[in-house]
């Protein structure tokens, strides 16, 4: 299995530019998560989808951030316009989901390191 | 709301010794899942072990075991016979519904294994 695939792995952009991060979850997984990792705030959930439907977007910082999951094999996280404080590592993760009593760990992609100048 | 506390920012352990990484949690949910992840210097997040709140026995996965004390709300990770490759950041996390929902992470513990 290829695991969770993220692209690009590194992105350097200038303030004000639009940034699009992409994620392909593990085939068969029905939950997808976007996390952000920074030194100051640690790992925090931005949004998660279940069966392609956004379930909780309370972690999305502001309207500049948007996420979509048009089908079970693809998701995007878009930042428009980007700001220097958005610099972070963005992880996508997927899981099988499950029922009470059964473990369903999340498998993380390699992350996208975003730098906004 | 859920909260994870990891009080050890860094630890140094001699190779081949056992190490315990502390994790305490707080939640009002009656059912939840507890996880440990490893993040080596390369940056990827690697799932290590899981414990469900209703599990009667402590979880084990190879050299990893989870010391789950529900009454004390602690879920410490024990690594037996540590190896140089165990040097990494370790994150404790929890979810409200056995892993099908968002993970809340602790601040992590940086473990360094000394040869």
């Amino acid at each position: 299995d290829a695991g969770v695939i993220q692209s690009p792995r590194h992105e350097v952009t200038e303030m004000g530019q639009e940034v699009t991060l992409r994620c392909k979850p593990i085939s068969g997984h029905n939950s997808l998560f976007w996390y952000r990792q920074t030194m100051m705030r640690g790992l925090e959930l931005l949004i998660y989808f279940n069966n392609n439907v956004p379930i909780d977007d309370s972690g999305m910082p502001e309207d500049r951030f948007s996420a979509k999951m048009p089908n079970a094999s693809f998701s995007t996280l878009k930042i428009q316009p980007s700001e220097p404080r958005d610099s972070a590592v963005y992880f996508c993760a997927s899981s099988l989901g499950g029922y009470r009593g059964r473990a369903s760990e999340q498998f993380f992609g390699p992350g996208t390191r975003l730098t906004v100048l | 709301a859920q909260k994870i506390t990891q009080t050890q920012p860094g630890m140094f352990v001699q190779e081949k010794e056992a190490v315990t990484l502390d994790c305490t949690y707080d939640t009002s949910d009656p059912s939840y899942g507890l996880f440990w992840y490893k993040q080596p210097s390369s940056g990827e997040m690697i799932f290590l072990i899981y414990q469900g709140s209703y599990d009667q026995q402590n979880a084990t996965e190879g050299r990893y075991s989870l010391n789950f004390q529900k009454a004390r709300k602690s879920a410490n990770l024990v690594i037996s016979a540590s190896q140089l490759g165990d040097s990494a950041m370790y994150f404790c996390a929890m979810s409200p519904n056995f892993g099908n929902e968002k993970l809340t992470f602790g601040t992590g513990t940086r473990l360094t294994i000394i040869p």
Side-chain angles (χ1 to χ4, degrees):
Chain A
D1 202 335
V4 176
I5 299 172
Q6 290 187 248
S7 65
R9 294 292 307 276
H10 301 272
E11 177 80 24
V12 180
T13 190
E14 292 188 346
M15 183 174 63
Q17 296 298 306
E18 177 180 297
V19 176
T20 299
L21 311 182
R22 297 173 177 79
C23 175
K24 177 179 170 54
I26 293 173
S27 177
H29 283 191
N30 59 13
S31 294
L32 184 139
F33 307 80
W34 283 100
Y35 293 91
R36 179 170 68 175
Q37 185 177 31
T38 62
M39 290 294 293
M40 291 297 294
R41 299 176 66 89
L43 274 156
E44 51 184 349
L45 178 80
L46 300 177
I47 185 172
Y48 85 90
F49 296 84
N50 189 256
N51 292 322
N52 311 340
V53 177
I55 302 299
D56 185 344
D57 65 354
S58 59
M60 296 287 264
E62 48 199 271
D63 292 345
R64 297 184 299 107
F65 285 69
S66 62
K68 294 182 179 180
M69 192 166 186
N71 56 62
S73 59
F74 184 65
S75 178
T76 60
L77 178 68
K78 185 177 294 186
I79 309 172
Q80 166 63 19
S82 57
E83 297 182 2
R85 60 189 168 128
D86 301 330
S87 297
V89 178
Y90 291 81
F91 287 103
C92 176
S94 70
S95 74
L96 276 170
Y99 52 88
R100 294 185 184 277
R102 184 172 73 83
S104 181
E105 66 270 25
Q106 295 178 22
F107 294 88
F108 282 70
T112 295
R113 183 174 295 276
L114 174 65
T115 303
V116 183
L117 303 174
Chain B
Q2 301 186 325
K3 185 177 180 180
I4 295 284
T5 302
Q6 295 182 255
T7 58
Q8 306 154 308
M11 289 187 67
F12 291 84
V13 173
Q14 203 75 38
E15 188 180 8
K16 298 182 183 178
E17 290 186 351
V19 57
T20 297
L21 305 181
D22 294 340
C23 172
T24 57
Y25 62 91
D26 190 24
T27 182
S28 57
D29 294 310
S31 63
Y32 48 88
L34 294 157
F35 302 79
W36 278 91
Y37 282 83
K38 172 183 178 181
Q39 187 175 41
S41 57
S42 50
E44 70 267 33
M45 295 287 289
I46 303 167
F47 166 74
L48 295 178
I49 196 167
Y50 161 87
Q51 179 86 39
S53 59
Y54 293 131
D55 292 344
Q56 295 296 313
Q57 294 188 339
N58 288 341
T60 60
E61 290 285 347
R63 294 187 298 113
Y64 304 108
S65 60
L66 199 152
N67 184 1
F68 180 46
Q69 298 187 44
K70 194 171 183 177
R72 299 179 63 181
K73 293 189 175 181
S74 73
N76 298 340
L77 177 70
V78 180
I79 306 174
S80 63
S82 57
Q83 303 171 357
L84 296 178
D86 294 333
S87 294
M89 281 288 288
Y90 288 81
F91 292 95
C92 181
M94 73 180 304
S95 70
N97 186 21
F98 295 111
N100 196 23
E101 295 187 17
K102 61 183 180 183
L103 287 173
T104 299
F105 285 88
T107 52
T109 296
R110 181 172 297 281
L111 175 65
T112 303
I113 306 300
I114 304 167

